Amino acid sequence: MNGSTDMGYDVDEIDFKEKSDDALTPILHFVNELNRELHPRHVDLSLGELRTFADFPGNIRRRFMVREETGDLVALSEMRYPDDGSNPEVLRCEIRVSAEHRRQGVGTMLLGHIAGIATELGRRTLLSWHFDTVPAGAAFARAVGAEEKLRFHDNVLRIEDLDVELMRSWAGAGPERAPGYSVEVIDGRWPEDLLEGIAHLYYVLERDMPMSEGHEPREWTAELMERMQNHYLQSTDALTAIAVEEDTGEPVGMSQLIRRHSDPTTWIVTTTMVDPDHRGKAIGKWVKGAANLAALENWKGGVYQETGNALTNEAMLSINRAMGFEHEKTTTEVDIEVGDALAYVTSKTGAIGRGASE
């Protein structure tokens, strides 16, 4: 989809991988401007990070940018869906409009484009999210009739406040509380012989974590795990504590911390998970403690640690509260039926959503 609209804006589909550095630089500045509004502690992305984080494996992604006639960027949107055919009725999407161009119909125009493409793809539901740090997102969701599905707390911990003795007690008590298991901390790349087991853990995580009604977990494979780590290790450092059942050699739990190359002050928890068949032995605390102790030893200059939890995940919330994490912002997941989205757009513009070829 490329071309002008009757609103005086140009809408173009973009592929970050094919853009030159010069062409991508103004997009990078716009993304960083939006991210600073969303997250007051945001440290700007580099061009390399924008390319890496924007093309994470496992999904088909399409992006659109909206420009004024002057050429200035006013909005970006993204849609994505799994590349393995799972969840065939759902299209995840995001619409981000600059503060000075909100309430002028730009978001509605992009919603029409997304809903039109969703129709062509045979998708029935649009799934998106908004943040309490940008109230305009919630207002737009209410206006279009999107329904709230889940809430997540994004939590932060000052690393200087991390209870090191608590981490040592969690890690130290592991062998006694979970005999027959061991924990190893991996710096960087996961061993090839563990990839299939780690893929199973990601399947378990997606299967068991709170999701909107009708969501089905994708097929996680060793090949996808390899692609994932090849991708994110381009722009981040990673420490992963992996718990293994000694009799089988299979991974049963893990906790991973990453830090961006351009922002070593912030450690991000990508995941902490334990296979349900091996819960009740404090393996989650063991891998949490081990990962944090390794980061304290190997990563200098850390200031913050970030994690996110669904409000329904009480077990992980309690672990993070014990560590001293505090709520920083709330993410709310919403969805809307494609037909309802198109009806809203028509009511506002008199036009149906444009498809991919327009």
Side-chain angles (χ1 to χ4, degrees):
M1 180 200 71
N2 297 281
S4 299
T5 73
D6 54 11
M7 297 174 60
Y9 296 107
D10 291 323
V11 184
D12 297 295
E13 186 162 2
I14 54 174
D15 186 339
F16 288 176
K17 292 180 295 185
E18 296 180 358
K19 288 280 186 181
S20 67
D21 285 355
D22 287 344
L24 196 58
T25 294
I27 298 173
L28 173 70
H29 292 330
F30 186 72
V31 168
N32 280 325
E33 176 186 335
L34 292 171
N35 285 344
R36 285 192 293 271
E37 179 188 22
L38 170 65
H39 197 324
R41 290 189 298 101
H42 172 74
V43 175
D44 283 355
L45 297 171
S46 66
L47 275 171
E49 287 175 327
L50 181 65
R51 293 185 190 277
T52 299
F53 299 145
D55 189 35
F56 205 77
N59 288 287
I60 295 170
R61 296 174 185 263
R62 296 178 65 180
R63 293 183 178 86
F64 303 89
M65 63 180 179
V66 181
R67 295 182 182 273
E68 290 185 296
E69 293 177 347
T70 60
D72 292 336
L73 268 170
V74 302
L76 288 171
S77 67
E78 175 182 303
M79 62 186 67
R80 69 176 186 266
Y81 51 94
D83 60 8
D84 67 345
S86 59
N87 292 294
E89 294 190 343
V90 177
L91 184 69
R92 291 181 176 270
C93 59
E94 183 177 20
I95 295 172
R96 306 185 71 183
V97 181
S98 65
E100 60 269 28
H101 289 89
R102 291 169 190 159
R103 302 185 67 83
Q104 297 179 33
V106 178
T108 299
M109 176 184 67
L110 282 171
L111 179 64
H113 283 297
I114 292 170
I117 294 172
T119 300
E120 292 184 354
L121 293 172
R123 305 274 161 165
R124 182 175 61 85
T125 304
L126 301 179
L127 183 66
S128 191
W129 48 91
H130 57 76
F131 309 90
D132 62 354
T133 48
V134 184
F140 184 66
R142 287 193 300 270
V144 304
E147 296 184 5
E148 178 179 321
K149 295 299 179 181
L150 293 169
R151 286 192 180 187
F152 298 83
H153 272 184
D154 298 305
N155 303 313
V156 65
L157 167 68
R158 289 192 68 91
I159 293 170
E160 66 181 17
D161 296 330
L162 178 63
D163 189 335
V164 179
E165 290 306 313
L166 180 64
M167 298 299 96
R168 288 174 179 157
S169 70
W170 285 358
E176 181 179 351
R177 297 193 64 176
Y181 299 85
S182 61
V183 168
E184 178 184 3
V185 178
I186 310 252
D187 187 347
R189 184 173 300 279
W190 298 322
E192 185 175 352
D193 62 340
L194 294 183
L195 292 179
E196 186 173 344
I198 292 172
H200 173 71
L201 287 177
Y202 269 85
Y203 170 82
V204 166
L205 173 70
E206 187 179 1
R207 182 194 67 192
D208 292 353
M209 72 187 303
M211 287 287 186
S212 295
E213 183 179 352
H215 177 88
E216 296 291 339
R218 66 167 296 137
E219 180 184 357
W220 296 89
T221 65
E223 185 271 338
L224 179 56
M225 295 296 99
E226 181 68 12
R227 287 168 55 203
M228 281 175 52
Q229 66 175 352
N230 285 341
H231 198 75
Y232 68 68
L233 288 175
Q234 296 177 52
S235 297
T236 65
D237 302 313
L239 288 169
T240 313
I242 300 180
V244 173
E245 185 180 33
E246 294 176 341
D247 285 346
T248 64
E250 289 299 314
V252 301
M254 62 185 285
S255 183
Q256 184 182 61
L257 291 168
I258 66 170
R259 62 175 185 176
R260 290 166 43 200
H261 290 165
S262 64
D263 181 20
T265 67
T266 303
W267 306 349
I268 302 168
V269 183
T270 63
T271 184
T272 300
M273 52 189 169
V274 178
D275 189 306
D277 292 339
H278 301 270
R279 292 176 186 168
K281 302 176 177 66
I283 292 175
K285 289 183 176 179
W286 190 356
V287 292
K288 255 307 197 193
N292 276 274
L293 291 173
L296 288 168
E297 180 177 353
N298 297 322
W299 290 351
K300 305 306 177 185
V303 179
Y304 298 103
Q305 186 173 161
E306 297 176 355
T307 189
N309 297 109
L311 298 188
T312 54
N313 189 352
E314 183 56 40
M316 191 52 60
L317 282 170
S318 66
I319 287 177
N320 287 327
R321 282 195 292 264
M323 291 178 64
F325 278 95
E326 296 182 352
H327 172 256
E328 187 169 45
K329 70 178 188 293
T330 299
T331 303
T332 302
E333 191 172 271
V334 299
D335 71 15
I336 185 171
E337 297 302 295
V338 170
D340 293 338
L342 288 171
Y344 173 81
V345 173
T346 301
S347 73
K348 293 296 183 181
T349 67
I352 62 170
R354 295 179 173 86
S357 62
E358 296 186 31

